[in-house]
Amino acid sequence: MAVPKDKKNVVLFASSLVFYAWGEPVYIFLMLFSTAFNYFIALYLDKCDTKRLKKQRLILGVTVNILILFFFKYADFFISTLNTITGLKIKELNLPLPIGISFYTFQTMSYIIDVYRNDVKPQKSFLKFGTYVSMFPQLIAGPIVRYRTIEKQLDTRKITQDNVFDGIYYFVIGLSKKVLIANNLGILWDFAYNHMESASTFTMWLGIIAFALQIYFDFSGYSHMAIGLGKIFGFDFPENFNFPYISRSVTEFWRRWHISLGTWFKEYVYFPLGGSRQGKKRTYLNLFIVWLLTGLWHGASFNFALWGLYYCILLIIEKWILGDFLKTRRIVSHIYTLGAVLIGWVLFACENLSDAIIYLKSLIGINTTGLIDGTFLYNLTSNWVVLVIGILCSIPAFTKKAEFYFKNPRAKMVLIIVLFIICTAYLTDATYNPFLYFRF
Amino acid sequence: MFYIKNIYKKLNKFFKNMVQQIKKGSCAYILCTIFIGFCIINILWPSKTFSDTENRNLSGLPQISATNVISGKFMSEFDSYCDDQLIFRDLWVSLKANMQLLTFKKENNGVYKSKDSYFINKPQYDEKIANKNIETIKKVSAGGGLKVSVAIVPTAYEILTEKLPDNTEDDKLISNLKGLNSGFDGSNVNVIDVYNTLKENKDEYIYYRTDHHQTALGSFLVYKEIAQALELSPYREKDFNITDRADDFLGTNYSKFMIRTNKKDVISQYELKDSKLKSTLTIPEINKEYKSLFVEENLKIKDKYTYYMGGNYSAHIVKTNAGTGKKLVVFKDSYAHSIVPFLANHYAEIHMIDLRYFNDDVFEYMYKNKLSNILVLYNTSNFASDGSLSKLLKQEEISPYGKVRYGYVEYTDKADDSYFNDAVFVGDSLTEGMRMYSGIEGGHFYTKVGVSLYNADSLTDVNGINIFESLKTLNAGKMYIMLGINQELDELNLKNYIKMYGEFIDKVRKVDDDITIYIQAIMPISKGAEKRSSIYAKDILNANKALNRLAIDKCCYYLGVNEIAVDESGYMMEGISPDGIHLSAEKCQQWYDYLKYHRAGYTFNDTKNKALETVKFSGNSKIDCDRIAQDIIKELNFTYNMNKVSNGMIYDIYRIETEKIKSASIYMSSGALADEVAVFELDQNNGLSSEEVRDGISLHIEDRIKQMEGYNPKEVQKLKKAFVYSKDGVIVLCVSQNPETIKTKIDKILSKK
């Protein structure tokens, strides 16, 4: 509004850099290097005469990106695995993970691949490209915005009152999801995880349900905050979540969960590998590769790899036999999907495999103090309000109704102010404010 | 000029537009105005430096500098500045508390909103720390020569279980804490179990509603149990005048939960009726002396619990005119503050040591202050989660005084005759006999035939100068006392005998504080002699047992020298005495030999005190760490003296093995302050890397933050801005109020030769 049109990107780029430097004063140079490298390689790609040369340059570009990601994110995992296998004693690097590296590396890779495929034209302005890579609203926790989605918005975008208002609305809703629901349920999950060997079966179920809601509201809350900030600056980022917990199959769940990541892997890994068009065996192999990578993208440990493969197996089974069966049975399909996803979250949330096994056992009543106990009742009575709100907000029928009541902008404004005040109160007295996406 | 005008015009237009839009009711503009307005008010609002409700210093605006920004320190400090300086902070915090209650949560920041307006915090339990603390106490006690008692006081969570919100009782936690006492089974530690007395009185006002401490009544109940176990006769409740000194105390648990309560707490004081007892309280750390154990001025501040003993400090010294000559050292947390005033009615001196902040050598402190009665007094939660008690374990090993144990003296290497040149002997005809027949050449004798403790004060030296007068100038090293054969020692008189013995020792110490005192066992008498005199052989045996205990109480040594003359039945051996009382020349020589072979502070086969061994570094030190540390201290102007920490503590404090560094020098504040200066010289060949040492330092800082948080929260900020610097194989740690000042000078200090 107050910023002249031609200076918008300058302001955004500069504020993004300050924002990133606030959390990572040193690694900002890594991000700037990555930005510059991809900027030049795209220009360079575009000037190639022969296909072969073009391909070579693409391979160079992708390799450098992957090497950066590998070095900062996976090197220690690789070294420690190598050490256990071979008995060597290579020293681990112990580098802190640069914030957002998984997100911006994937964004820049999508960009150069799209340039290679002639899907987009290379960005001539370093400022605009820098604005795209470093854009602070989504830099830290996604969504992974592909260059092609906002190519035009980098040049021309309008900041309207409606956009700003919607943006604030999205932002505050996202903040509330994170601060009021996710953080509160996180305490419940931590309790269950820390009392794994002395709790009742119901407490353990409560714990993993709390985690499922925590990670959903945490992650989608961040996405909403990013989308909201984007709107304030005149950008339209795609939705990253679409009510995943109402899915009736795991396949559907992954179409609704972290959509931008799923799309990325589909576009830049699954399809180039041949997708499902090269026979059953090849399809399964492709799925295996995609899901191993998806798992590892979430963190450098065997837990995440296993978590990815767990979904790979479920997807193959669904593709193979279960798919039609689920389509016809409504209730069974919901129960199956939620059960499968919750088991997935156990693998995801436990710090190591042995913990995950203990937790899974306790869910079926092995080594618990019984089915139900006072601790469960206490945790239920003191958390049911948040749990119910969380569950209701995971159901589109409810949220649509709620949005209908708050259609009037005045009502919306009141809601925003009230939520913002409550969030501020919780943030002021925050003893618990985890940041789940540091690992990504 | 034109440019500025242009901006002004634009801004003016912008604001006009804004006002118009708001008038029109544009939600976007209204919201933006609210948010931006909120930020501006926040920035303009004056900063506060201290929060009364939270009892801590609030962070101020951090200084910006290149190193600060690169390390990210500026940003994190700025974040906490924004957090702390948010306007109406208390209001926000209590809004959250109310939201918690509204969503049926009875817990906020680790505190339960319990029935009957109680705020009860959940105690902590760390099995490893609890066991280590138990092992430490057992080991200190097992060495003998120190009387160790332990009272671990349950917290409200364990006693007022019925007041907790339904189903919040963690049975496992409660039974773990209750089981702490059983950790001492089979040891010689005197365990004082106060659980039952508190549980029986759970319906009384024994814990504060808004604070984690015990009320005066709760403390009185604990005192009664402790006094009984320490063989004092405890006063009854009706012996006290009880007055309420404040009725508007809101404690730490209230501050943590932050929700209104209409039941504030009462601070009361128990004073003995018609008592002439006067006590003084000295807090060396702040150089203050009070005429009472209750600090009147603290009734006006927020944390009114500091009324008792003035609050948390590394040491409190209580002196009374009780005249019992008894001394006690209390290793404690803040629970002791309301209990010690009761105990003060029975002791001449009580030294309270808070090991969380006390950085000096505890064993040296006990040695110098003649303390041998130890009371460990903690609440269960601190005992099971704070590891600073285990400092004693290491100190016992490395302190030159760590092996000092009173009471019985073991067999040692033989002393030369010259060893007795600075010895003083006090006794009757038996000692005179020893002087004549044993061949002793040195020594100063204060003896008289027929003397007893009733008239020992009038003993003189050869020149007729009174013993106390003469001791003043003599500069004697050791004193051997044998008194008792000339007075009644039966059950009725034994207590009096021991009391007089103790008073005699006190008088000696008054003129010569450093003298090592040996209490010699009374020699036996023969059956024949028993018939002739008013003394019985079995009374002598009992008296000797009491003397052994007295030796520990009075920090003296007991010599069982009667071994050379007594038979199995307690009578004198046949044929060693002409009259059944006085010893033959041969026995007198044995007596003298016995003294030569039994020397405190020596061991067999090792003439040097083993405890004096020093710590080994990897060697080849090229840098004078101590000089660097002292230079830094000079620059920083610390509030209180910085004391050098023994190198043997390095591993204990930083988990840094001394064999893997070349040298080091550590200074810590003498008090409950976080101030600290440490300098390490790395061994680049095969020692610890810079990272490893820094890791050790940062773990230590984390530990210190944890320790300081509940007790001297003002110090946490200092620790958070701890300055760690490494250059050319030297790592420096500075914790102080103003580490900035050292940053500019550190290079100069390091490069100085």
Side-chain angles (χ1 to χ4, degrees), chain A residues 428-429, chain B residues 50-58 84 89-90 93 252 255-256 258 302 709 713:
Chain A
T428 310
D429 192 29
Chain B
F50 188 77
S51 162
D52 279 332
T53 16
E54 287 167 84
N55 191 24
R56 66 182 182 96
N57 277 359
L58 299 173
D84 279 1
R89 194 182 146 77
D90 291 354
V93 173
T252 50
S255 298
K256 276 186 189 159
M258 272 301 267
K302 160 115 200 336
E709 252 159 6

Side-chain angles (χ1 to χ4, degrees), chain B residues 651-692:
Chain B
Y651 182 75
D652 227 35
I653 299 173
Y654 305 94
R655 304 278 142 195
I656 291 169
E657 292 107 318
T658 44
E659 306 93 313
K660 292 185 181 169
I661 52 174
K662 280 188 177 168
S663 67
S665 177
I666 322 289
Y667 285 81
M668 283 183 168
S669 172
S670 46
L673 302 183
D675 296 344
E676 179 176 346
V677 172
V679 183
F680 301 92
E681 184 188 355
L682 295 178
D683 186 352
Q684 265 129 342
N685 293 331
N686 37 23
L688 295 171
S689 70
S690 158
E691 282 75 19
E692 284 168 309

Side-chain angles (χ1 to χ4, degrees), chain B residues 417-436:
Chain B
D417 286 322
S418 63
Y419 177 78
F420 294 93
N421 286 346
D422 65 345
V424 169
F425 291 85
V426 175
D428 46 35
S429 51
L430 282 156
T431 309
E432 282 191 348
M434 196 273 277
R435 181 186 193 181
M436 279 187 275

